[in-house]
Every structure is written in structure tokens, then in C-alpha cells.
Amino acid sequence: MKKTLFLTSAIAVILLGAIPAEAQTNTSAEGVSSANQALLARIEKLEAELIALRTSVQQSAQTASAAKETAQNAAKTVRTVQKLAKAGAAGAYSGAPSDAKWHLAGYADVGFVGGDMPGQDSFVTGKFNPGFHFQYKDLLIFESELEFSTTSDGATTTELEYSQFDIPINDYVTLVAGKYLSPIGQFQERLHPSWINRIQGAPAGFGHDGVQPTSDTGVQLRGTVPVGKTRLTYTVALGNGPQTTFEGGVKLEGVGNDDNSNKSLGGRLGFFALPYLELGGSYLTGKVSGYAPPVGHEEAPVTIAADVPVGSFAQDNARYTLWGMDAAYTKGALAARFEYLNSHRAAFFSPTADAPAGIFLPRLGMKAWYGQASYRMSNVGSSDFIHNLEPVVRYGEFRITGHDVLREENAQNRFNVGLNYWLAPTIVTKAGLEWRDFKVAGVPSETLYQFQIAYGF
Amino acid sequence: MKTMKNNRFWIGSTLVITMLVFAPLAVAGQDSASSKAKKADPMQVVRGAKAWKNNCGRCHNLRSPKELTDEEWDVSVTHMRIRANLLPLEADDIKAFLKASN
């Protein structure tokens, strides 16, 4: 009985459990189909997300790999730089610089010049003067400067300003050989570069065709000798010397050969009376011969008409002598300078192909002087603009006797006033007025307006 | 012929006078320079600054020490030693100052 009851109960329970399941299956057949589709869609969506995620992970891995490679390269570069810096520092501190060293220097300028004479208003290209210094240990230094400029007809001119070897012999003597700037006076050797010169041009008589020699070719001995608390500076020069020009004047530029085998001897002695006051004296002597025309230009020199009997003066050559003195006071913001030069060439007969007995050239005398003062307003007020200003004034005279053409072209009183503005210690803008009062009847005076920017590098 | 003789006289005279005047100075100069160069001098930069101001500013504005590298200052100051007739020790002081300041 109990067995029957148990079996009956079990069957009932099974039936009771099966009836609802069967009923549910039957009632939701359509719902199952839509759920499957939703499930499939979700699965597809998940698969798509998985693919996207996988792609992203791969890209991240590639990026990470590239970043790692970049970092490795950077680290390698840093190690290389550190190694080079260490080697450089070791070299620098070991006191082992190169045996051969060089330095590029020089200066350049451009400007504008206007005036009260017709056709005087022009932009001027100015000059470009690169300078080269090559030094080998402490044995010698070779230095040279070129000058490039543009002529009024557009041509470019190139000149070798100087080209010299400097060989220090000891503390007090240096041997200079080659083409060098004239050591006569101060202007040509020290002050003529446009970033140093406080006014746009040279003083009258101190530029080309003046009494101031520009350069010479030969040898110099120069240096400094201490004298108590001060010192004496000297330059002794032996060069090819002056020559006679086509116009019958005296050429005072370094030439490549000596036309008369007579060397000029000259130089300058300088003395510091005070640390800021330098006094100097210069001297030059040599002989000039008659004008030697270049090959293909066998014209006679410009005749200086004079009825002088042949034989009454020297034939073929004449003595040329120059002397001068200079002073420079440079203390603080004030710089005052003075120079005087006086030269003469004796009268002589300059022989030519047409006149073997010679064309008479009278005694030629030239003298020039200038005084200049400039004041940098670095202690005036508190404005930087004012501090960079520098007013300047210069007056000079140039006189010539014994050559009418040269005298008409060059003899004058020259007065300059100007105002400079320093953009940097080696960059200056200049604005100035120049009055030229020619000392020959009939030659009109001139007024020039000058602007210039100059850079020393 | 006379010109050539005269020329030789000038050249010879100049060389002889130069040797007589400067030979003793040359020996003295080498001794002083070499002995002083061996000693490190902490005041060199100070002296250099003063020499830089007094000598370089005589003709032109003072360049900033930062304009050139050490090696360029070596060459530039050697060039100016010749041009401005500076004593070698003075030039060394100026170099030391410029290199310490660039």
C-alpha cells in the first residue's frame, strides 16, 4: 500500500512539474525566436566590439613598441651627447686648444649722401671689408683685409687693404712682413674702419690722395717697452715707399714692387703721458722717381708747366719727407683727438719717352691737420635712448702747394658735426653735416648731408 | 748705382740698430714671460678687466665678451696685441678676463 502510494505520489509530482513546463513551451514559441535573434544580435555586437578591442590593443602595442624604440634612440643620443660633452670638457680643461685657430672679423657700412650741388643725392653701398686672422700656436699670425665696394657706374672694386705676417720675436719686438696699413699717425692704422670712425668719412687729407700714407709693402719691427709706470710704443718700417703719380703727385699706397729700388724708412713713436693720454710722433723718408706708366699706357704725366732750365734740379728722382704728430685723450665718455701731418717732395725732372730730359715737377708741399671730439652720453639722465647718443664735432684743414690741379680738387677747410646712435657696442648709425670750404678761387663750397649705418664684426 | 748703395746703407743701418737695441730686451723679455706664465695668478682676471677697459676702449667701443668663443678671443686678442702694441702679459690678462666672462 505504501509502495503504491509512493509510486502514485512520484508520478503525480512528475506530472505536476511537467505540465507547467509544457504549457510554457507551448505558450512562448514565438517569443523564443525573437529572443534568439536579439541574443544573436547581441553576440554579433559583442564580436564586433571584441574585434575593435583587439585592433585597438594591437595598435596600442605597436605604439608602445614605437615609443619604446624612440625612447631607446633618445637614450642612445643622450649617452652620445654626454660622451661628447665629457670629451669636450676634458679637452677644454686640459688646456689643449687647437694648434691652428682662426677668426673672421671686419666691418661693413651703407649710407646716404646728399648735398647742395647737382647730382649729389645718392644712396651709397658703402664698403664691405672682411678681415681674416689665422694663428698658428704662438708662432705667428697671418692677417688680411679685403675691401669690396661699388663704383658710380656699377662696377665692383676689390682691394687688398693689408696682408701681413706677424711674428712675435719676444715680449717687446714683433716682426711684421707684407702689405701693412701705414703706421704713420693714428687715423689710418687704428681709426679708419667705419664702425670706429665717429664721422662718415676721413678728415681732409687723411684719406686717399691725401698727405696720410694709406699702406706700404715691406717689413716692420714694432712693440712696446715699459718705461717706469708708463710705456713707449714704437714702429720702425722699411717699405717700397712712395711713387710719382700720373698727375705728378705722390702715391702713398702699398705697391707690389719698388720702381726705384730705394726703400722708404719711417715709423712712429708713441708715449703715454697718462694712462688716458697718448702722444705720438711720426716720420717717413724715401725717394721718388719719375712716373712709370703701366704697360700699354705710355702717356706722359700731366705736365706742370714751368720754364725751368734742364739741369737746375735733380734728374730722375727726388727726396720725399713726411713728419707728423698726434695726440689722443680718451677718458670715460669723452674722446678728443688731434693729428698733424706735413710732407714735401723736392723739385725734380721726371723723364718720359717724349721728354728724356724730363718734365719739371716743382716742389710739392702737403700738410693737413684735424681735431675731433666726441662724447658718449652714457651718464646723462636715466633714459637708455639718451645713453646711446654720441654727439661729435671735427674740424680740419688740408693745404697743397706746388700742384694746381691737386690743390683745386683737394685743398680745403672741412667742418663736421654729427650725432651718432649706438644700437650695440659695434653697431652705429650716424647722421651728420659736412661743410667743405675749398681754398681756391672759383671753386664753390659744398654742404653735404650724410647718413650711415656701420657694423663691426 | 749710388741709389743702390744708399739703399743698402739704410737697410743695413736699420737692421744693425734694431739688433743692438732689442737683443738685450729680447733675452730679458723671454725670461720674464716664461717664469711668470708658469704661475697661476688669481688676480689675472681682475688685471685683464682693467687692461681691457684701458686699452681696447682707447680706439673703439668695448665688445661684449660674449661675442666670441674662447678660441676666437685667442686669435682676436693676438691680432690686437700687434695692432695696439700691447705687452704679451697684458694680452694674456685680457684673454683670461674675456674667457672668464663669455
Side-chain angles (χ1 to χ4, degrees), chain A residues 190-228:
Chain A
R190 302 188 206 170
L191 307 174
H192 83 277
S194 51
W195 76 277
I196 298 175
N197 188 6
R198 271 15 187 198
I199 287 175
Q200 285 82 339
F206 286 77
H208 292 278
D209 295 326
V211 62
Q212 163 79 65
T214 55
S215 58
D216 205 348
T217 306
V219 293
Q220 288 182 10
L221 290 171
R222 61 186 299 155
T224 302
V225 180
V227 180

Side-chain angles (χ1 to χ4, degrees), chain A residues 97-98 100-103 133-135 141 143 162 166 168-174 176 181 189-191 195-196 198 221-226 231 233-236 238 260-263 265 272 275 278 287 317 319 330 337 376 422 424-426 456-457, chain B residues 2-4 6-8 10-11 14-15 18-19 22-23 25-34 53-55 57-64 67-68 70-90 95 99:
Chain A
S98 306
K101 293 172 277 192
W102 69 286
H103 173 225
H133 308 142
F134 300 94
Q135 182 178 350
I141 182 169
E143 53 181 308
Y162 65 87
D166 306 329
I169 297 173
N170 59 47
D171 285 6
Y172 308 101
V173 187
T174 296
V176 176
L181 295 176
E189 195 179 63
R190 302 188 206 170
L191 307 174
W195 76 277
I196 298 175
R198 271 15 187 198
L221 290 171
R222 61 186 299 155
T224 302
V225 180
R231 60 184 179 174
T233 65
Y234 69 90
T235 304
V236 181
L238 194 70
N260 60 3
S261 297
N262 183 278
K263 301 291 175 284
L265 179 65
F272 288 88
E278 181 180 5
K287 281 190 174 181
N317 63 74
R319 169 76 47 194
T330 50
R337 303 179 185 281
R376 178 70 178 268
W422 290 92
T426 58
F457 42 87
Chain B
K2 187 181 176 185
T3 302
M4 289 182 66
N6 193 25
N7 205 29
R8 286 173 187 155
W10 278 110
I11 295 173
T14 304
L15 292 176
T18 302
M19 289 175 68
F22 294 110
L25 293 175
V27 175
Q30 284 174 335
D31 289 343
S32 63
S34 58
K53 178 177 174 291
N54 288 342
N55 290 289
R58 187 168 290 132
C59 296
H60 56 74
N61 282 357
L62 298 171
R63 287 179 181 272
S64 165
E67 281 193 24
L68 302 179
D70 285 1
E71 199 161 277
E72 288 172 327
W73 276 126
D74 274 338
V75 183
S76 181
V77 174
T78 303
H79 154 72
M80 287 311 304
R81 175 197 153 187
I82 311 298
R83 181 62 57 87
N85 290 324
L86 302 177
L87 289 165
L89 291 177
E90 209 170 23
K95 281 182 197 174
K99 290 179 181 180

Side-chain angles (χ1 to χ4, degrees), chain A residues 311-327:
Chain A
S312 56
F313 284 92
Q315 299 285 328
D316 297 348
N317 63 74
R319 169 76 47 194
Y320 170 86
T321 305
L322 178 153
W323 66 274
M325 51 189 178
D326 57 80

Side-chain angles (χ1 to χ4, degrees), chain B residues 36-66:
Chain B
K36 288 181 183 176
K38 290 175 184 174
K39 298 175 184 173
D41 185 350
M43 291 301 290
Q44 188 178 32
V45 171
V46 177
R47 284 199 312 272
K50 190 177 177 185
W52 173 69
K53 178 177 174 291
N54 288 342
N55 290 289
C56 306
R58 187 168 290 132
C59 296
H60 56 74
N61 282 357
L62 298 171
R63 287 179 181 272
S64 165
K66 296 185 185 300

